[in-house]
Amino acid sequence: MRARPAAWVLFLAALFGCVQLANVTGRDTPDSRNYLSYALALGGADKREAAGRSIAYLCASRGETASREHSVDVRRFRAPDPGPGVRAECRRHYERTVGGRLDAGQTSGWTAPFMGERFMRIFEVRPGYPLLLLPFVTLFGVTWG
């Protein structure tokens, strides 16, 4: 029996999709942290809680990326894992900067103030993705949602 080429393409696409599910950490981008804080705010979280949970996701992602890059570096893979240090430094940085913006009164809109107000307005006018993200974040949590 010969399989059709379309069946192979669908099989490979499904296989690729399943493999992607194994890699849910280390995927933070500026867009993802802003949309995540927006979705959390739509779900009822106050600004500080949305910022804190978004920062935790962001920093866990950066720590995971540092650990992954370290583990494949043939010159340094036996050295201590840099992931926990990267995660802690990231948390200190963002809690200081985002916390400072919140303390200074930058609390308008739905997103946590990772950037200036003008940049944040770009995300404020696009509620579709955060609304789509909201049930998944609510049901599965920040990482898997």
Side-chain angles (χ1 to χ4, degrees):
M1 292 179 74
R2 284 182 54 176
R4 295 182 187 168
W8 280 109
V9 170
L10 288 174
F11 172 75
L12 289 174
L15 181 65
F16 178 76
C18 290
V19 169
Q20 293 302 307
L21 290 175
N23 186 25
V24 296
T25 58
R27 293 182 165 190
D28 174 66
T29 65
D31 288 358
S32 65
R33 79 183 76 137
N34 288 308
Y35 285 130
L36 175 61
S37 69
Y38 196 161
L40 292 170
L42 289 173
D46 68 355
K47 192 70 70 167
R48 288 201 183 271
E49 180 187 353
R53 290 178 67 189
S54 299
I55 289 169
Y57 171 77
L58 157 69
C59 295
S61 178
R62 290 202 177 163
E64 180 67 28
T65 300
S67 294
R68 190 177 316 125
E69 288 173 358
H70 170 75
S71 70
V72 297
D73 187 343
V74 295
R75 294 171 292 154
R76 297 184 184 99
F77 74 94
R78 292 185 189 203
D81 182 11
V86 168
R87 192 174 302 116
E89 178 59 33
C90 175
R91 272 194 93 92
R92 280 192 298 274
H93 169 73
Y94 280 102
E95 286 174 354
R96 184 177 58 246
T97 57
V98 174
R101 287 186 176 123
L102 289 171
D103 292 341
Q106 190 178 341
T107 58
S108 64
W110 290 95
T111 59
F114 286 102
M115 301 295 226
E117 288 185 41
R118 184 174 179 203
F119 182 77
M120 300 314 292
R121 282 192 211 114
I122 294 169
F123 296 95
E124 300 286 330
V125 297
R126 297 185 276 180
Y129 185 69
L131 284 170
L132 178 67
L133 189 62
L134 178 61
F136 297 102
V137 170
T138 303
L139 289 174
F140 303 116
V142 170
T143 302
W144 287 93

mmCIF file with all atom_site columns, all heavy atoms in Angstrom, residues 119-140:
data_model
loop_
_atom_site.group_PDB
_atom_site.id
_atom_site.type_symbol
_atom_site.label_atom_id
_atom_site.label_alt_id
_atom_site.label_comp_id
_atom_site.label_asym_id
_atom_site.label_entity_id
_atom_site.label_seq_id
_atom_site.pdbx_PDB_ins_code
_atom_site.Cartn_x
_atom_site.Cartn_y
_atom_site.Cartn_z
_atom_site.occupancy
_atom_site.B_iso_or_equiv
_atom_site.pdbx_formal_charge
_atom_site.auth_seq_id
_atom_site.auth_comp_id
_atom_site.auth_asym_id
_atom_site.auth_atom_id
_atom_site.pdbx_PDB_model_num
ATOM 1   N N   . PHE A 1 119 ? 4.077   52.774 24.343 1.00 0.00 ? 119 PHE A N   1
ATOM 2   C CA  . PHE A 1 119 ? 4.267   51.429 23.820 1.00 0.00 ? 119 PHE A CA  1
ATOM 3   C C   . PHE A 1 119 ? 3.144   50.502 24.289 1.00 0.00 ? 119 PHE A C   1
ATOM 4   O O   . PHE A 1 119 ? 2.669   49.661 23.534 1.00 0.00 ? 119 PHE A O   1
ATOM 5   C CB  . PHE A 1 119 ? 5.626   50.889 24.250 1.00 0.00 ? 119 PHE A CB  1
ATOM 6   C CG  . PHE A 1 119 ? 5.933   49.524 23.722 1.00 0.00 ? 119 PHE A CG  1
ATOM 7   C CD1 . PHE A 1 119 ? 6.322   49.349 22.410 1.00 0.00 ? 119 PHE A CD1 1
ATOM 8   C CD2 . PHE A 1 119 ? 5.834   48.412 24.542 1.00 0.00 ? 119 PHE A CD2 1
ATOM 9   C CE1 . PHE A 1 119 ? 6.603   48.085 21.919 1.00 0.00 ? 119 PHE A CE1 1
ATOM 10  C CE2 . PHE A 1 119 ? 6.120   47.150 24.063 1.00 0.00 ? 119 PHE A CE2 1
ATOM 11  C CZ  . PHE A 1 119 ? 6.506   46.988 22.743 1.00 0.00 ? 119 PHE A CZ  1
ATOM 12  N N   . MET A 1 120 ? 2.718   50.676 25.532 1.00 0.00 ? 120 MET A N   1
ATOM 13  C CA  . MET A 1 120 ? 1.692   49.795 26.076 1.00 0.00 ? 120 MET A CA  1
ATOM 14  C C   . MET A 1 120 ? 0.346   49.986 25.384 1.00 0.00 ? 120 MET A C   1
ATOM 15  O O   . MET A 1 120 ? -0.443  49.059 25.284 1.00 0.00 ? 120 MET A O   1
ATOM 16  C CB  . MET A 1 120 ? 1.534   50.013 27.581 1.00 0.00 ? 120 MET A CB  1
ATOM 17  C CG  . MET A 1 120 ? 2.811   49.737 28.381 1.00 0.00 ? 120 MET A CG  1
ATOM 18  S SD  . MET A 1 120 ? 3.663   48.227 27.952 1.00 0.00 ? 120 MET A SD  1
ATOM 19  C CE  . MET A 1 120 ? 2.519   47.025 28.511 1.00 0.00 ? 120 MET A CE  1
ATOM 20  N N   . ARG A 1 121 ? 0.088   51.182 24.874 1.00 0.00 ? 121 ARG A N   1
ATOM 21  C CA  . ARG A 1 121 ? -1.176  51.428 24.170 1.00 0.00 ? 121 ARG A CA  1
ATOM 22  C C   . ARG A 1 121 ? -1.306  50.570 22.918 1.00 0.00 ? 121 ARG A C   1
ATOM 23  O O   . ARG A 1 121 ? -2.420  50.287 22.475 1.00 0.00 ? 121 ARG A O   1
ATOM 24  C CB  . ARG A 1 121 ? -1.286  52.911 23.811 1.00 0.00 ? 121 ARG A CB  1
ATOM 25  C CG  . ARG A 1 121 ? -1.688  53.738 24.994 1.00 0.00 ? 121 ARG A CG  1
ATOM 26  C CD  . ARG A 1 121 ? -2.081  55.153 24.585 1.00 0.00 ? 121 ARG A CD  1
ATOM 27  N NE  . ARG A 1 121 ? -1.747  56.026 25.680 1.00 0.00 ? 121 ARG A NE  1
ATOM 28  C CZ  . ARG A 1 121 ? -0.824  56.978 25.644 1.00 0.00 ? 121 ARG A CZ  1
ATOM 29  N NH1 . ARG A 1 121 ? -0.174  57.221 24.527 1.00 0.00 ? 121 ARG A NH1 1
ATOM 30  N NH2 . ARG A 1 121 ? -0.572  57.712 26.693 1.00 0.00 ? 121 ARG A NH2 1
ATOM 31  N N   . ILE A 1 122 ? -0.183  50.155 22.355 1.00 0.00 ? 122 ILE A N   1
ATOM 32  C CA  . ILE A 1 122 ? -0.230  49.268 21.190 1.00 0.00 ? 122 ILE A CA  1
ATOM 33  C C   . ILE A 1 122 ? -0.984  47.992 21.546 1.00 0.00 ? 122 ILE A C   1
ATOM 34  O O   . ILE A 1 122 ? -1.777  47.474 20.758 1.00 0.00 ? 122 ILE A O   1
ATOM 35  C CB  . ILE A 1 122 ? 1.200   48.939 20.711 1.00 0.00 ? 122 ILE A CB  1
ATOM 36  C CG1 . ILE A 1 122 ? 1.884   50.191 20.183 1.00 0.00 ? 122 ILE A CG1 1
ATOM 37  C CG2 . ILE A 1 122 ? 1.191   47.833 19.657 1.00 0.00 ? 122 ILE A CG2 1
ATOM 38  C CD1 . ILE A 1 122 ? 3.364   50.018 19.933 1.00 0.00 ? 122 ILE A CD1 1
ATOM 39  N N   . PHE A 1 123 ? -0.756  47.471 22.734 1.00 0.00 ? 123 PHE A N   1
ATOM 40  C CA  . PHE A 1 123 ? -1.408  46.235 23.159 1.00 0.00 ? 123 PHE A CA  1
ATOM 41  C C   . PHE A 1 123 ? -2.828  46.486 23.653 1.00 0.00 ? 123 PHE A C   1
ATOM 42  O O   . PHE A 1 123 ? -3.687  45.622 23.534 1.00 0.00 ? 123 PHE A O   1
ATOM 43  C CB  . PHE A 1 123 ? -0.576  45.555 24.247 1.00 0.00 ? 123 PHE A CB  1
ATOM 44  C CG  . PHE A 1 123 ? 0.760   45.124 23.742 1.00 0.00 ? 123 PHE A CG  1
ATOM 45  C CD1 . PHE A 1 123 ? 1.867   45.930 23.910 1.00 0.00 ? 123 PHE A CD1 1
ATOM 46  C CD2 . PHE A 1 123 ? 0.902   43.935 23.065 1.00 0.00 ? 123 PHE A CD2 1
ATOM 47  C CE1 . PHE A 1 123 ? 3.101   45.551 23.426 1.00 0.00 ? 123 PHE A CE1 1
ATOM 48  C CE2 . PHE A 1 123 ? 2.130   43.543 22.560 1.00 0.00 ? 123 PHE A CE2 1
ATOM 49  C CZ  . PHE A 1 123 ? 3.224   44.359 22.742 1.00 0.00 ? 123 PHE A CZ  1
ATOM 50  N N   . GLU A 1 124 ? -3.063  47.658 24.204 1.00 0.00 ? 124 GLU A N   1
ATOM 51  C CA  . GLU A 1 124 ? -4.374  47.982 24.768 1.00 0.00 ? 124 GLU A CA  1
ATOM 52  C C   . GLU A 1 124 ? -5.483  47.946 23.715 1.00 0.00 ? 124 GLU A C   1
ATOM 53  O O   . GLU A 1 124 ? -6.616  47.616 24.036 1.00 0.00 ? 124 GLU A O   1
ATOM 54  C CB  . GLU A 1 124 ? -4.350  49.373 25.409 1.00 0.00 ? 124 GLU A CB  1
ATOM 55  C CG  . GLU A 1 124 ? -3.355  49.523 26.527 1.00 0.00 ? 124 GLU A CG  1
ATOM 56  C CD  . GLU A 1 124 ? -3.773  48.830 27.790 1.00 0.00 ? 124 GLU A CD  1
ATOM 57  O OE1 . GLU A 1 124 ? -4.981  48.705 28.044 1.00 0.00 ? 124 GLU A OE1 1
ATOM 58  O OE2 . GLU A 1 124 ? -2.872  48.400 28.532 1.00 0.00 ? 124 GLU A OE2 1
ATOM 59  N N   . VAL A 1 125 ? -5.169  48.287 22.485 1.00 0.00 ? 125 VAL A N   1
ATOM 60  C CA  . VAL A 1 125 ? -6.199  48.374 21.448 1.00 0.00 ? 125 VAL A CA  1
ATOM 61  C C   . VAL A 1 125 ? -6.445  47.036 20.755 1.00 0.00 ? 125 VAL A C   1
ATOM 62  O O   . VAL A 1 125 ? -7.262  46.969 19.844 1.00 0.00 ? 125 VAL A O   1
ATOM 63  C CB  . VAL A 1 125 ? -5.851  49.453 20.392 1.00 0.00 ? 125 VAL A CB  1
ATOM 64  C CG1 . VAL A 1 125 ? -5.806  50.816 21.033 1.00 0.00 ? 125 VAL A CG1 1
ATOM 65  C CG2 . VAL A 1 125 ? -4.556  49.134 19.677 1.00 0.00 ? 125 VAL A CG2 1
ATOM 66  N N   . ARG A 1 126 ? -5.768  45.992 21.210 1.00 0.00 ? 126 ARG A N   1
ATOM 67  C CA  . ARG A 1 126 ? -5.935  44.667 20.607 1.00 0.00 ? 126 ARG A CA  1
ATOM 68  C C   . ARG A 1 126 ? -6.369  43.657 21.663 1.00 0.00 ? 126 ARG A C   1
ATOM 69  O O   . ARG A 1 126 ? -5.571  42.855 22.143 1.00 0.00 ? 126 ARG A O   1
ATOM 70  C CB  . ARG A 1 126 ? -4.627  44.222 19.962 1.00 0.00 ? 126 ARG A CB  1
ATOM 71  C CG  . ARG A 1 126 ? -4.199  45.120 18.824 1.00 0.00 ? 126 ARG A CG  1
ATOM 72  C CD  . ARG A 1 126 ? -2.985  44.586 18.143 1.00 0.00 ? 126 ARG A CD  1
ATOM 73  N NE  . ARG A 1 126 ? -1.792  45.013 18.872 1.00 0.00 ? 126 ARG A NE  1
ATOM 74  C CZ  . ARG A 1 126 ? -0.565  44.694 18.513 1.00 0.00 ? 126 ARG A CZ  1
ATOM 75  N NH1 . ARG A 1 126 ? -0.359  43.947 17.462 1.00 0.00 ? 126 ARG A NH1 1
ATOM 76  N NH2 . ARG A 1 126 ? 0.457   45.119 19.205 1.00 0.00 ? 126 ARG A NH2 1
ATOM 77  N N   . PRO A 1 127 ? -7.647  43.646 22.036 1.00 0.00 ? 127 PRO A N   1
ATOM 78  C CA  . PRO A 1 127 ? -8.094  42.735 23.104 1.00 0.00 ? 127 PRO A CA  1
ATOM 79  C C   . PRO A 1 127 ? -8.395  41.316 22.637 1.00 0.00 ? 127 PRO A C   1
ATOM 80  O O   . PRO A 1 127 ? -8.638  40.438 23.459 1.00 0.00 ? 127 PRO A O   1
ATOM 81  C CB  . PRO A 1 127 ? -9.365  43.408 23.614 1.00 0.00 ? 127 PRO A CB  1
ATOM 82  C CG  . PRO A 1 127 ? -9.911  44.088 22.400 1.00 0.00 ? 127 PRO A CG  1
ATOM 83  C CD  . PRO A 1 127 ? -8.694  44.572 21.635 1.00 0.00 ? 127 PRO A CD  1
ATOM 84  N N   . GLY A 1 128 ? -8.376  41.052 21.342 1.00 0.00 ? 128 GLY A N   1
ATOM 85  C CA  . GLY A 1 128 ? -8.773  39.737 20.837 1.00 0.00 ? 128 GLY A CA  1
ATOM 86  C C   . GLY A 1 128 ? -7.928  38.596 21.369 1.00 0.00 ? 128 GLY A C   1
ATOM 87  O O   . GLY A 1 128 ? -8.457  37.603 21.882 1.00 0.00 ? 128 GLY A O   1
ATOM 88  N N   . TYR A 1 129 ? -6.619  38.701 21.267 1.00 0.00 ? 129 TYR A N   1
ATOM 89  C CA  . TYR A 1 129 ? -5.759  37.606 21.709 1.00 0.00 ? 129 TYR A CA  1
ATOM 90  C C   . TYR A 1 129 ? -5.827  37.403 23.224 1.00 0.00 ? 129 TYR A C   1
ATOM 91  O O   . TYR A 1 129 ? -5.946  36.258 23.674 1.00 0.00 ? 129 TYR A O   1
ATOM 92  C CB  . TYR A 1 129 ? -4.317  37.816 21.239 1.00 0.00 ? 129 TYR A CB  1
ATOM 93  C CG  . TYR A 1 129 ? -3.431  36.656 21.576 1.00 0.00 ? 129 TYR A CG  1
ATOM 94  C CD1 . TYR A 1 129 ? -3.601  35.431 20.944 1.00 0.00 ? 129 TYR A CD1 1
ATOM 95  C CD2 . TYR A 1 129 ? -2.452  36.762 22.546 1.00 0.00 ? 129 TYR A CD2 1
ATOM 96  C CE1 . TYR A 1 129 ? -2.809  34.342 21.261 1.00 0.00 ? 129 TYR A CE1 1
ATOM 97  C CE2 . TYR A 1 129 ? -1.648  35.679 22.868 1.00 0.00 ? 129 TYR A CE2 1
ATOM 98  C CZ  . TYR A 1 129 ? -1.839  34.478 22.225 1.00 0.00 ? 129 TYR A CZ  1
ATOM 99  O OH  . TYR A 1 129 ? -1.054  33.400 22.559 1.00 0.00 ? 129 TYR A OH  1
ATOM 100 N N   . PRO A 1 130 ? -5.799  38.473 24.038 1.00 0.00 ? 130 PRO A N   1
ATOM 101 C CA  . PRO A 1 130 ? -5.947  38.240 25.483 1.00 0.00 ? 130 PRO A CA  1
ATOM 102 C C   . PRO A 1 130 ? -7.284  37.594 25.847 1.00 0.00 ? 130 PRO A C   1
ATOM 103 O O   . PRO A 1 130 ? -7.338  36.761 26.754 1.00 0.00 ? 130 PRO A O   1
ATOM 104 C CB  . PRO A 1 130 ? -5.829  39.639 26.091 1.00 0.00 ? 130 PRO A CB  1
ATOM 105 C CG  . PRO A 1 130 ? -5.033  40.396 25.100 1.00 0.00 ? 130 PRO A CG  1
ATOM 106 C CD  . PRO A 1 130 ? -5.420  39.852 23.758 1.00 0.00 ? 130 PRO A CD  1
ATOM 107 N N   . LEU A 1 131 ? -8.352  37.942 25.126 1.00 0.00 ? 131 LEU A N   1
ATOM 108 C CA  . LEU A 1 131 ? -9.641  37.302 25.386 1.00 0.00 ? 131 LEU A CA  1
ATOM 109 C C   . LEU A 1 131 ? -9.609  35.822 25.016 1.00 0.00 ? 131 LEU A C   1
ATOM 110 O O   . LEU A 1 131 ? -10.195 34.989 25.704 1.00 0.00 ? 131 LEU A O   1
ATOM 111 C CB  . LEU A 1 131 ? -10.759 38.018 24.624 1.00 0.00 ? 131 LEU A CB  1
ATOM 112 C CG  . LEU A 1 131 ? -11.205 39.341 25.217 1.00 0.00 ? 131 LEU A CG  1
ATOM 113 C CD1 . LEU A 1 131 ? -12.141 40.074 24.262 1.00 0.00 ? 131 LEU A CD1 1
ATOM 114 C CD2 . LEU A 1 131 ? -11.885 39.133 26.560 1.00 0.00 ? 131 LEU A CD2 1
ATOM 115 N N   . LEU A 1 132 ? -8.916  35.501 23.929 1.00 0.00 ? 132 LEU A N   1
ATOM 116 C CA  . LEU A 1 132 ? -8.759  34.108 23.542 1.00 0.00 ? 132 LEU A CA  1
ATOM 117 C C   . LEU A 1 132 ? -7.870  33.358 24.533 1.00 0.00 ? 132 LEU A C   1
ATOM 118 O O   . LEU A 1 132 ? -8.111  32.199 24.858 1.00 0.00 ? 132 LEU A O   1
ATOM 119 C CB  . LEU A 1 132 ? -8.139  34.035 22.134 1.00 0.00 ? 132 LEU A CB  1
ATOM 120 C CG  . LEU A 1 132 ? -7.848  32.648 21.583 1.00 0.00 ? 132 LEU A CG  1
ATOM 121 C CD1 . LEU A 1 132 ? -9.154  31.906 21.325 1.00 0.00 ? 132 LEU A CD1 1
ATOM 122 C CD2 . LEU A 1 132 ? -7.037  32.750 20.311 1.00 0.00 ? 132 LEU A CD2 1
ATOM 123 N N   . LEU A 1 133 ? -6.868  34.026 25.051 1.00 0.00 ? 133 LEU A N   1
ATOM 124 C CA  . LEU A 1 133 ? -5.917  33.436 25.989 1.00 0.00 ? 133 LEU A CA  1
ATOM 125 C C   . LEU A 1 133 ? -6.528  33.219 27.376 1.00 0.00 ? 133 LEU A C   1
ATOM 126 O O   . LEU A 1 133 ? -6.158  32.276 28.076 1.00 0.00 ? 133 LEU A O   1
ATOM 127 C CB  . LEU A 1 133 ? -4.712  34.373 26.091 1.00 0.00 ? 133 LEU A CB  1
ATOM 128 C CG  . LEU A 1 133 ? -3.482  33.950 26.831 1.00 0.00 ? 133 LEU A CG  1
ATOM 129 C CD1 . LEU A 1 133 ? -2.876  32.724 26.175 1.00 0.00 ? 133 LEU A CD1 1
ATOM 130 C CD2 . LEU A 1 133 ? -2.485  35.099 26.847 1.00 0.00 ? 133 LEU A CD2 1
ATOM 131 N N   . LEU A 1 134 ? -7.460  34.058 27.772 1.00 0.00 ? 134 LEU A N   1
ATOM 132 C CA  . LEU A 1 134 ? -8.016  34.064 29.122 1.00 0.00 ? 134 LEU A CA  1
ATOM 133 C C   . LEU A 1 134 ? -8.530  32.701 29.611 1.00 0.00 ? 134 LEU A C   1
ATOM 134 O O   . LEU A 1 134 ? -8.143  32.264 30.694 1.00 0.00 ? 134 LEU A O   1
ATOM 135 C CB  . LEU A 1 134 ? -9.102  35.135 29.240 1.00 0.00 ? 134 LEU A CB  1
ATOM 136 C CG  . LEU A 1 134 ? -9.803  35.237 30.583 1.00 0.00 ? 134 LEU A CG  1
ATOM 137 C CD1 . LEU A 1 134 ? -8.806  35.578 31.679 1.00 0.00 ? 134 LEU A CD1 1
ATOM 138 C CD2 . LEU A 1 134 ? -10.908 36.281 30.516 1.00 0.00 ? 134 LEU A CD2 1
ATOM 139 N N   . PRO A 1 135 ? -9.369  31.986 28.869 1.00 0.00 ? 135 PRO A N   1
ATOM 140 C CA  . PRO A 1 135 ? -9.842  30.699 29.413 1.00 0.00 ? 135 PRO A CA  1
ATOM 141 C C   . PRO A 1 135 ? -8.725  29.673 29.591 1.00 0.00 ? 135 PRO A C   1
ATOM 142 O O   . PRO A 1 135 ? -8.735  28.896 30.541 1.00 0.00 ? 135 PRO A O   1
ATOM 143 C CB  . PRO A 1 135 ? -10.867 30.210 28.385 1.00 0.00 ? 135 PRO A CB  1
ATOM 144 C CG  . PRO A 1 135 ? -10.850 31.159 27.268 1.00 0.00 ? 135 PRO A CG  1
ATOM 145 C CD  . PRO A 1 135 ? -10.018 32.326 27.614 1.00 0.00 ? 135 PRO A CD  1
ATOM 146 N N   . PHE A 1 136 ? -7.748  29.704 28.709 1.00 0.00 ? 136 PHE A N   1
ATOM 147 C CA  . PHE A 1 136 ? -6.647  28.750 28.815 1.00 0.00 ? 136 PHE A CA  1
ATOM 148 C C   . PHE A 1 136 ? -5.748  29.065 30.006 1.00 0.00 ? 136 PHE A C   1
ATOM 149 O O   . PHE A 1 136 ? -5.315  28.169 30.719 1.00 0.00 ? 136 PHE A O   1
ATOM 150 C CB  . PHE A 1 136 ? -5.839  28.729 27.511 1.00 0.00 ? 136 PHE A CB  1
ATOM 151 C CG  . PHE A 1 136 ? -6.648  28.254 26.343 1.00 0.00 ? 136 PHE A CG  1
ATOM 152 C CD1 . PHE A 1 136 ? -7.154  29.153 25.429 1.00 0.00 ? 136 PHE A CD1 1
ATOM 153 C CD2 . PHE A 1 136 ? -6.927  26.908 26.177 1.00 0.00 ? 136 PHE A CD2 1
ATOM 154 C CE1 . PHE A 1 136 ? -7.913  28.736 24.363 1.00 0.00 ? 136 PHE A CE1 1
ATOM 155 C CE2 . PHE A 1 136 ? -7.692  26.470 25.113 1.00 0.00 ? 136 PHE A CE2 1
ATOM 156 C CZ  . PHE A 1 136 ? -8.191  27.383 24.200 1.00 0.00 ? 136 PHE A CZ  1
ATOM 157 N N   . VAL A 1 137 ? -5.470  30.345 30.229 1.00 0.00 ? 137 VAL A N   1
ATOM 158 C CA  . VAL A 1 137 ? -4.663  30.751 31.384 1.00 0.00 ? 137 VAL A CA  1
ATOM 159 C C   . VAL A 1 137 ? -5.418  30.441 32.673 1.00 0.00 ? 137 VAL A C   1
ATOM 160 O O   . VAL A 1 137 ? -4.830  29.995 33.657 1.00 0.00 ? 137 VAL A O   1
ATOM 161 C CB  . VAL A 1 137 ? -4.294  32.240 31.287 1.00 0.00 ? 137 VAL A CB  1
ATOM 162 C CG1 . VAL A 1 137 ? -3.674  32.746 32.567 1.00 0.00 ? 137 VAL A CG1 1
ATOM 163 C CG2 . VAL A 1 137 ? -3.335  32.476 30.127 1.00 0.00 ? 137 VAL A CG2 1
ATOM 164 N N   . THR A 1 138 ? -6.720  30.644 32.659 1.00 0.00 ? 138 THR A N   1
ATOM 165 C CA  . THR A 1 138 ? -7.534  30.365 33.841 1.00 0.00 ? 138 THR A CA  1
ATOM 166 C C   . THR A 1 138 ? -7.559  28.869 34.153 1.00 0.00 ? 138 THR A C   1
ATOM 167 O O   . THR A 1 138 ? -7.416  28.471 35.304 1.00 0.00 ? 138 THR A O   1
ATOM 168 C CB  . THR A 1 138 ? -8.969  30.892 33.629 1.00 0.00 ? 138 THR A CB  1
ATOM 169 O OG1 . THR A 1 138 ? -8.911  32.287 33.336 1.00 0.00 ? 138 THR A OG1 1
ATOM 170 C CG2 . THR A 1 138 ? -9.821  30.662 34.857 1.00 0.00 ? 138 THR A CG2 1
ATOM 171 N N   . LEU A 1 139 ? -7.719  28.052 33.134 1.00 0.00 ? 139 LEU A N   1
ATOM 172 C CA  . LEU A 1 139 ? -7.825  26.607 33.344 1.00 0.00 ? 139 LEU A CA  1
ATOM 173 C C   . LEU A 1 139 ? -6.489  25.914 33.563 1.00 0.00 ? 139 LEU A C   1
ATOM 174 O O   . LEU A 1 139 ? -6.369  25.030 34.415 1.00 0.00 ? 139 LEU A O   1
ATOM 175 C CB  . LEU A 1 139 ? -8.529  25.950 32.138 1.00 0.00 ? 139 LEU A CB  1
ATOM 176 C CG  . LEU A 1 139 ? -10.007 26.213 31.989 1.00 0.00 ? 139 LEU A CG  1
ATOM 177 C CD1 . LEU A 1 139 ? -10.523 25.622 30.685 1.00 0.00 ? 139 LEU A CD1 1
ATOM 178 C CD2 . LEU A 1 139 ? -10.780 25.642 33.163 1.00 0.00 ? 139 LEU A CD2 1
ATOM 179 N N   . PHE A 1 140 ? -5.481  26.302 32.789 1.00 0.00 ? 140 PHE A N   1
ATOM 180 C CA  . PHE A 1 140 ? -4.210  25.563 32.794 1.00 0.00 ? 140 PHE A CA  1
ATOM 181 C C   . PHE A 1 140 ? -3.055  26.296 33.455 1.00 0.00 ? 140 PHE A C   1
ATOM 182 O O   . PHE A 1 140 ? -1.966  25.745 33.560 1.00 0.00 ? 140 PHE A O   1
ATOM 183 C CB  . PHE A 1 140 ? -3.821  25.186 31.361 1.00 0.00 ? 140 PHE A CB  1
ATOM 184 C CG  . PHE A 1 140 ? -4.852  24.378 30.651 1.00 0.00 ? 140 PHE A CG  1
ATOM 185 C CD1 . PHE A 1 140 ? -5.494  24.879 29.533 1.00 0.00 ? 140 PHE A CD1 1
ATOM 186 C CD2 . PHE A 1 140 ? -5.211  23.117 31.102 1.00 0.00 ? 140 PHE A CD2 1
ATOM 187 C CE1 . PHE A 1 140 ? -6.454  24.141 28.869 1.00 0.00 ? 140 PHE A CE1 1
ATOM 188 C CE2 . PHE A 1 140 ? -6.161  22.374 30.448 1.00 0.00 ? 140 PHE A CE2 1
ATOM 189 C CZ  . PHE A 1 140 ? -6.799  22.880 29.329 1.00 0.00 ? 140 PHE A CZ  1
#
